[in-house]
Amino acid sequence: MKNEETQLTDVYGVNVFNDAIMRQRLPKNIFKAFVKTRQGQVDFTVATADVIANAMKDWAIEKGATHYCHWFQPMTGLTAEKHDSFISPTPDGKTVLEFSGKELIKGEPDASSFPSGGLRATFEARGYTAWDCTSPVFIKGKTLYIPCAFCSYTGEALDKKTPLLRSMEALSNQAVRVLRVLGATNVQHVDTTLGAEQEYFLVDQSFFGKRLDLVLAGRTLFGAPSPRGQEMEDHYFGTLHERVAAYMNDVNTELWKLGVSSKTQHNEVSPAQYELAPLFATVNVATDHNQLTMETLQKVALRHGFVCLLHEKPFAGVNGSGKHNNWSLLTDTGNNLLEPGTTPHDNMIFLVFLCAVVRAVDKYAKLLRASVANPGNEHRLGANEAPPAIVSVFLGDQLTDIFEQLAAGGAKSSQKGGELKLGSSTLPPLPKDTTDRNRTSPFAFTGNKFEFRMVGSSQSTAGPNFVLNTIVADVLKEIADELEKSKNVTVDAQKLLKKIAKDHARIIFNGDNYREEWVQEAKKRGLPNIRSTVESIETIMDKEHVDVLKRHNVLSKHELHARTDILLENYSKSINIEAGVTVSIAKRQILPVCVEYCARLAASAGVVADSGVSCKAIQKSLEKAAKCVDELDGAIEALETLLAKAQNIDKPHLQARAFRDDVIPAMQAVRSAADALETIVDADTWPLPTYAEMLFLR
Ligand code: ADP
Ligand code: MG
């Protein structure tokens, strides 16, 4: 008999039109044709698409679906969907359910209301969605979801997915060239793999509802620190609270049904912070799955009386949230190209790919940094928290040693991990890894993959990964160009690795990335340290960035420019919302309570004085509170003035700078006056749930 809870194997993928279902439901030749199309070997024919669409429709209707939608990822970083029902009226006034190949392959949503960064004028409304057959179709609610790319009438990418797909192809092409020349002639295709660890906060819904800042801006804009924060180091990996565990179970079941392989879950460093990690998948599918994960985390939270916060920095003073981007390369013959094996020093393919990544990260550090630049991440990167804004690579002891050997002319040996004995005969000896971990590194080699830790928790993984894919593809291209004309590949490959190891030694850093010493050291090494989001976005249009993205057909200059404008506008809009909320809360919630508090103190002071008793404390409290209230009032006025000024600037980069340089400090001034008042005014009248309540009460 089955448990009350449905068995995992029964629910996993039940709502996905996956290969197993397709094999069952499609004629053999159609399935074969589909697989070839998915591998990019042949184009779609309408006839094939018609058969597939019909099978999808029958399957979806059996599962209770009534609608289908093209599901895409516009430049908002979120997903978009417009639902159409399967009904098709017949002349006799009835209806049949239909879904054609044409409807499957192409949609025509109005593109004018999505950010286009000037690629489209508002009146030029036509946009297309195109079925991305590399990511499986699924059912959610009563709708069949078709993952799609989204472009303008003129063919320019208006979404996150298109450049990602283009970059995967670029990387595969160049990686295959390198593999061929190194003798791995059987590889036809190389996939990028991604496992995105998702961090998030849970806050009780009752608190959330009372905080306009959380509701509208996703983070707290006020709040004195809780007397207890994360200093006890007792939350990370701590026992799951029952209510949280029930929530996580529910999240997992929902995700498993959608074929998202949610695997790891635990408490994170900050109180009320958690993590979910799936098993890795092809980067395109993993990106879709991460969108579904973020959506599911938020949706299911409401069922449990929580709200899930995906913002990079919901609370000041405790850790923010990231999305660790575990990235590797997998051949169609099943080999992970970043797997060192037991003797990495003589694993030429591994060494070439490792060095290619190191060179790419050093050469294009600014572009990589810009791929994670959003308003929320500004509170993490370079703000004394994981990780810094300086891009560096952690290789660990064994690989750093090999890297140094390469620089000296050739790698001859690999350090071994050995065995750990724990001093008790009842404990097993442990095989020891060849290297320790380093949690402070922004780009760390972790055994058989790189973990890019700068990605923000709310970000789509498409951006960072299309950049990573493209810059690595570019270095692989250089290597392939060089080695393809070589008469002695072994000798020339060694020379190439030697040059890379020498030229890029500066990007390797295995120490503590949080220390001030590193900032100084990195400066000496000439590594960029771009802490501000605006400044980082402004580097995107640097010539070498435009060139590299163009060279691999990932984005044209025009498309890149549009994206840069969207990012700057998004920055300004986000800070504009935060500033508006700051004014509203400060003026309409905090100030009135504080004024009333002063009035109460003044009245009490009068009563006490009338009674002939002298009480200095009352007078002192009143003076202190009145001073803070004046400060708050002045800060609000200053913010309002600077906000109005910033709102009137029309050039995106000038406006973004005004928001950063004028509005943000003015918001901070309002906050610090208000937070000081929070520590004075009686708790019962304070209008906002406190940090202590939100972080510790479940
Ligand atoms: P950590 O200890 O770093 O927190 P987790 O287990 O939380 O590790 O997450 C590691 C992630 O890396 C998982 O999503 C896992 O599937 C992913 N991963 C493992 N191997 C690869 C690979 N070859 N390519 C991409 N991602 C990988
Ligand atoms: Mg993890």
Side-chain angles (χ1 to χ4, degrees), residues 318-335:
V318 290
N319 268 28
S321 298
K323 179 143 41 196
H324 293 177
N325 193 93
N326 294 274
W327 178 96
S328 194
L329 298 168
L330 184 68
T331 65
D332 57 355
T333 49
N335 288 329

Side-chain angles (χ1 to χ4, degrees), residues 408-485:
K412 308 234 157 33
S413 63
S414 305
Q415 294 174 2
K416 294 272 174 273
E419 207 175 66
L420 259 191
K421 295 216 168 68
L422 297 179
S424 157
S425 56
T426 57
L427 290 173
L430 300 177
K432 192 174 152 190
D433 286 297
T434 51
T435 206
D436 199 358
R437 284 190 178 221
N438 181 326
R439 306 267 353 166
T440 68
S441 174
F443 202 92
F445 187 76
T446 49
N448 59 4
K449 61 191 188 305
F450 276 100
E451 186 172 348
F452 182 30
R453 302 212 180 96
M454 292 169 106
V455 183
S457 51
S458 73
Q459 275 193 290
S460 157
T461 51
N465 286 293
F466 86 64
V467 168
L468 198 47
N469 289 351
T470 309
I471 62 178
V472 173
D474 198 55
V475 176
L476 292 173
K477 177 177 183 305
E478 288 172 2
I479 295 174
D481 287 350
E482 190 76 25
L483 294 184
E484 276 173 0
K485 57 180 196 237

Side-chain angles (χ1 to χ4, degrees), residues 197 264 266 268 275 277 324 439:
E197 302 166 52
T264 306
H266 57 80
E268 256 304 324
E275 180 186 298
H324 293 177
R439 306 267 353 166

Side-chain angles (χ1 to χ4, degrees), residues 62-378:
E62 279 167 35
K63 294 190 139 302
T66 52
H67 287 67
Y68 68 92
C69 81
H70 275 204
W71 182 66
F72 57 102
Q73 301 171 26
M75 292 300 298
T76 54
L78 305 171
T79 58
E81 50 192 73
K82 179 178 136 211
H83 301 225
D84 280 296
S85 72
F86 290 119
I87 59 169
S88 174
T90 54
D92 57 359
K94 298 205 160 154
T95 187
V96 287
L97 300 180
E98 274 179 353
F99 183 48
S100 69
K102 214 174 121 234
E103 287 167 312
L104 166 65
I105 291 178
K106 183 177 135 199
E108 284 190 38
D110 186 325
S112 62
S113 297
F114 295 103
S116 78
L119 279 179
R120 310 249 62 207
T122 313
F123 64 92
E124 297 170 315
R126 200 182 284 281
Y128 295 117
T129 48
W131 176 30
D132 165 20
C133 67
T134 62
S135 181
V137 161
F138 56 92
I139 294 173
K140 204 158 52 87
K142 289 196 166 295
T143 301
L144 177 72
Y145 281 73
I146 302 155
C148 283
F150 177 45
C151 69
S152 72
Y153 179 64
T154 42
E156 279 139 334
L158 289 176
D159 68 343
K160 299 262 174 184
K161 175 168 273 196
T162 306
L164 181 63
L165 292 171
R166 291 174 181 165
S167 75
M168 289 167 72
E169 205 162 310
L171 185 56
S172 176
N173 291 342
Q174 302 305 333
V176 167
R177 282 180 68 200
V178 170
L179 287 168
R180 292 250 159 95
V181 79
L182 293 176
T185 46
N186 54 341
V187 176
Q188 306 284 330
H189 184 87
V190 173
D191 262 331
T192 327
T193 50
L194 169 68
E197 302 166 52
Q198 178 71 49
E199 293 179 344
Y200 60 94
F201 278 82
L202 289 178
V203 170
D204 194 278
Q205 220 174 347
S206 64
F207 298 138
F208 177 84
K210 292 190 187 123
R211 303 249 352 181
L212 195 64
D213 47 4
L214 285 182
V215 174
L216 297 185
R219 75 178 183 101
T220 54
L221 298 166
F222 294 94
S226 160
R228 178 183 182 137
Q230 62 189 38
E231 67 275 39
M232 300 303 284
E233 300 181 329
D234 56 354
H235 194 254
Y236 189 63
F237 281 17
T239 316
L240 289 182
H241 189 285
E242 215 170 280
R243 187 171 161 208
V244 173
Y247 160 74
M248 287 178 171
N249 281 342
D250 228 1
V251 167
N252 289 335
T253 308
E254 293 279 332
L255 288 177
W256 290 334
K257 283 190 206 161
L258 294 169
V260 180
S261 55
S262 172
K263 165 126 175 112
T264 306
Q265 59 196 26
H266 57 80
N267 287 355
E268 256 304 324
V269 169
S270 166
Q273 191 186 27
Y274 308 92
E275 180 186 298
L276 179 158
L279 271 178
F280 68 92
T282 307
V283 64
N284 164 41
V285 173
T287 293
D288 286 358
H289 282 182
N290 183 252
Q291 290 286 357
L292 289 172
T293 301
M294 292 195 284
E295 184 188 305
T296 304
L297 283 168
Q298 291 181 302
K299 183 179 78 183
V300 175
L302 300 178
R303 284 187 215 152
H304 292 258
F306 285 127
V307 174
C308 169
L309 307 176
L310 294 171
H311 194 281
E312 283 76 11
K313 192 73 179 178
F315 299 97
V318 290
N319 268 28
S321 298
K323 179 143 41 196
H324 293 177
N325 193 93
N326 294 274
W327 178 96
S328 194
L329 298 168
L330 184 68
T331 65
D332 57 355
T333 49
N335 288 329
N336 177 354
L337 294 171
L338 292 176
E339 173 58 57
T342 43
T343 52
H345 69 278
D346 64 11
N347 183 346
M348 182 50 96
I349 288 179
F350 167 73
L351 291 177
V352 167
F353 280 88
L354 180 83
C355 288
V357 177
V358 170
R359 174 165 161 77
V361 171
D362 189 22
K363 193 169 169 198
Y364 295 106
K366 285 189 191 170
L367 188 58
L368 204 53
R369 160 70 183 93
S371 77
V372 297
N374 77 355
N377 234 358
E378 192 155 49

